[in-house]
Amino acid sequence: MSVITTEELIKILQDKFPNSDIDVEDIAGDNNHYSISIKSVDFKGLSLVDQHRLVYNRLGDLSNKIHALKIKTINY
């Protein structure tokens, strides 16, 4: 499995969630275990489960490069 750097993940999330506040942390220091926090108007009216689904959908195949992903979503 290939890995993705923190900087690459931030760039991708910024492209997928423009005008959002995004924080990414490599929690294991291995470019394979991440904690992300996204504050976005895109989550308005969505349940927490649907917010997380939206993140996974927008990441698409990228999720194959990440072993563990902790997601925190916040609606503006």
Side-chain angles (χ1 to χ4, degrees):
M1 173 170 44
S2 60
V3 296
I4 184 167
T5 67
T6 303
E7 294 77 18
E8 289 171 324
L9 184 53
I10 290 170
K11 173 73 171 107
I12 290 165
L13 289 169
Q14 288 172 336
D15 289 346
K16 302 290 184 177
F17 293 92
N19 303 314
S20 300
D21 293 326
I22 298 170
D23 184 49
V24 175
E25 180 184 357
D26 181 354
I27 54 179
D30 62 0
N31 294 325
N32 213 4
H33 297 78
Y34 287 101
S35 173
I36 64 172
S37 174
I38 304 172
K39 185 175 182 181
S40 177
V41 297
D42 292 357
F43 302 133
K44 185 176 182 176
L46 298 178
S47 70
L48 185 60
V49 170
D50 287 338
Q51 291 174 25
H52 288 210
R53 281 186 185 136
L54 181 60
V55 173
Y56 277 109
N57 286 341
R58 291 191 181 173
L59 287 176
D61 291 337
L62 177 65
S63 60
N64 294 333
K65 294 183 175 187
I66 301 171
H67 178 72
L69 184 61
K70 177 182 174 184
I71 300 173
K72 178 179 180 182
T73 54
I74 304 160
N75 181 19
Y76 266 113

